[in-house]
Amino acid sequence: MRSERAYVADLYARLDADRARVKGAFTAALRGTGGTVMERDQEVRARHKEMKRLEVADDGLCFGRLDSLDGETHYIGRIGIFDEERDFEPVLLDWRAPSSRPFYTATGANAEGMRRRRQFHTNRRTLVDFTDEVFGRPDADERGDAALLAAVNAPRGEGMRDIVATIQAEQDAIIRLEHPGVLVIEGGPGTGKTVVALHRVAYLLYTQRERMERHGVLVVGPNPAFLNHIGRVLPSLGESDVVFMTAGDFVPGMKVTAEDPADAARLKGSLKMLDVLAAAVADRQRLPEEPIAIGLKDITVHINSETAEWARQEARDTGLPHNEARATFVEIVTYVLTERAIARIGKGWLSREDKQGWEDMRSGLLKDLAEDERFLSAMDELWPVLTPRSLLSSLLSSADRLAAAGGDPALLREDGEAWTVSDVPLLDELHDLLGRDKITDMTRERAALEERKAEAAYAEAVLDSMTNRQDHMDDEDHLFATDLLQAEDLAFRFEEHDTRTLAERATADRDWTYRHVVVDEAQELSEMDWRVLMRRCPGRSFTVVGDLAQRRTAAGAVTWADMLDPYVKDRWVYRSLTVNYRTPAEIMAVAARVLAEFAPDVQAPESVRANGVQPWARRVSEAELPAAIEEFAAAEAVLDGTSVVIGPPGVPGTVPASETKGLEFDSVLVVAPERILADGPRGAAELYVALTRATQRLGVLHHGPLPEALSSLQPVG
């Protein structure tokens, strides 16, 4: 034990030395004046990223050791540390390095050349204890080691923890899978599919950093609570070039404020909406019912339906998005009007040979049209500049426009701007159908440029102020050096270049593309959602995580092939996780009976442990329910860990099961399971989700008779 403690202490000493070195390099990069602005910025970013990588390793820097049969010893940890004095020999192997793999995969049956695996138990920087597993023993059990059981039995805190110290063999095989396309990871509750996907991202960033880090990785989750829950896993593994979003965040600046009825959500998720959206755009490319008179000085010309129809067809034939094709429409109409006007104005006195006269007249007419309010109004009426939000809002709030586009009446709503999650893929599709409004883009760019200039001027003023202070301060004033450094950094960051982080740039840019995308709870995504995701990742590199048995939305996946074959028919592979590391066997037995009722062909995952605590059920009246919930909360408050009360929508003091997907709690109280089951066709899946959130304790409160699937619960009270 003493020698191991000394080794771990030495690793922390090396870590501190590396931190001091990198911090010095970062400070020097901030104060540097050589090279271009871009080169200085790249240097600052690189040093800052290295600092962040080293910051994550304080807790559990080294968590194990491997001893091989040929006498080699390797220590395994969160990051790699090397001895510069011994030709950069590794003194700590990064868990993602190929040499570290036997730490997770060696078993008694297949020791992979290893003699012993030692797992460290630490408290911050201090090694408290360790456990050894000597391979080759007759009773070796790869799924029952003490480190794993300690991890799964530990109370849950805020946020998901990484599993880097206890990755199991079936999980490691998926994490390190070398597949360039789409990997589908399916597993029941508690199988660790989410955390495996996140560790796979860390592994890909480690092995393919140069290819992936410039554009980053996108992680898509079902709701903000889930993203907050998993948000610390990748930073704890030293990875920061990751963007977290829900399906409602794909359109920058849009806020979801409403929820669609089930029928509307199903319709919006179907690819049939592509025809509806295209027809809605075409419907705004109008022909005049009556000729539109345009007065030009001494003559009046008309935009009739024949002229507009020719211009419309020419514009559509360009294949350009609506807003960009408008220029062709305006050009054709302008050509017709000027030719007619010239023929009438010049009749009898302007010869065809007088080319200059014709050009002068044409130039004057073009100028007049460009300034004519009636002409400009006619162009806006016949081929308006449209935004995705204005078009979709007017479509969904107008029965006439919806009917003209071939949309189902179930899509109609009173408030067109009551945005829902299901609207997001429609808005994203309209971005491509409509194209950019160049005038608006130019206005935004001009405003952004002025803002950057103002910020740069402010930074320069701060720096001048700090420099002036130097004349009035003693050399021993230590505050000046810090203040001056901050001012120099401020001035540098406001020079005319983009200083935002990758995540900030990506979330603000609808056209940003990623090198890899992780999609969690993917069974809930519709066909239209998948179109959005495929746009975000042209390379089609995905880790897809889900469980078809837990699908609650009618627009979601029935099979993975339905969603993936149209894009990556021969480039997706399927892997399953079968061991439940979260839910005790006592609780999983109850959940498995619910699963069998609505998905009899699906095998429930096998729990890795039993905890001896029997789940219970208690019948209460409506009047007794609030007190029963308070009693549960009070009892849990004196225990370690987390708890939640799950119930059907509208029950005070509860949260819907859909808001707990992907989360885990030490203790769960499920309220009114009979109402959850009765709440729509996917009620059984909702109840299954609710029952499998618990890692230790499960209770049920019910009003009516207990559903048959829950009859094995121990009755109390």
Side-chain angles (χ1 to χ4, degrees), residues 487-500:
E488 288 177 342
D489 182 28
L490 184 64
F492 167 73
R493 290 184 62 81
F494 284 131
E495 292 180 27
E496 288 188 20
H497 65 295
D498 198 338
T499 60
R500 295 173 298 172

Side-chain angles (χ1 to χ4, degrees), residues 586-637:
E586 293 86 349
I587 296 176
M588 200 61 221
V590 177
R593 292 191 63 181
V594 175
L595 177 67
E597 287 201 355
F598 73 93
D601 297 332
V602 178
Q603 180 68 40
E606 178 186 356
S607 294
V608 75
R609 81 197 202 283
N611 66 355
V613 179
Q614 293 299 319
W616 54 267
R618 174 184 168 192
R619 188 167 187 171
V620 297
S621 66
E622 290 276 2
E624 294 171 329
L625 179 60
I629 293 177
E630 289 183 10
E631 180 183 335
F632 168 80
E636 290 299 322

Side-chain angles (χ1 to χ4, degrees), residues 54-70:
L54 295 174
E55 285 172 0
V56 306
D58 257 330
D59 192 8
L61 170 63
C62 175
F63 47 76
R65 175 181 132 181
L66 269 177
D67 297 343
S68 68
L69 291 172
D70 57 12

Side-chain angles (χ1 to χ4, degrees), residues 80-98:
I81 295 180
F82 303 90
D83 189 337
E84 296 183 15
E85 297 180 357
R86 291 192 291 177
D87 198 23
F88 286 90
E89 177 183 334
V91 293
L92 182 67
L93 285 177
D94 190 298
W95 67 274
R96 293 162 287 199

Side-chain angles (χ1 to χ4, degrees), residues 546-599:
D547 180 9
L548 294 178
Q550 295 186 54
R551 177 178 63 88
R552 64 182 293 268
T553 58
V558 177
T559 71
W560 298 116
D562 290 343
M563 298 302 182
L564 298 176
D565 279 355
Y567 307 100
V568 287
K569 184 173 180 61
D570 299 319
R571 289 189 58 215
W572 70 277
V573 296
Y574 176 89
R575 296 291 184 272
S576 64
L577 292 169
T578 59
V579 179
N580 188 328
Y581 299 100
R582 176 177 68 211
T583 315
E586 293 86 349
I587 296 176
M588 200 61 221
V590 177
R593 292 191 63 181
V594 175
L595 177 67
E597 287 201 355
F598 73 93

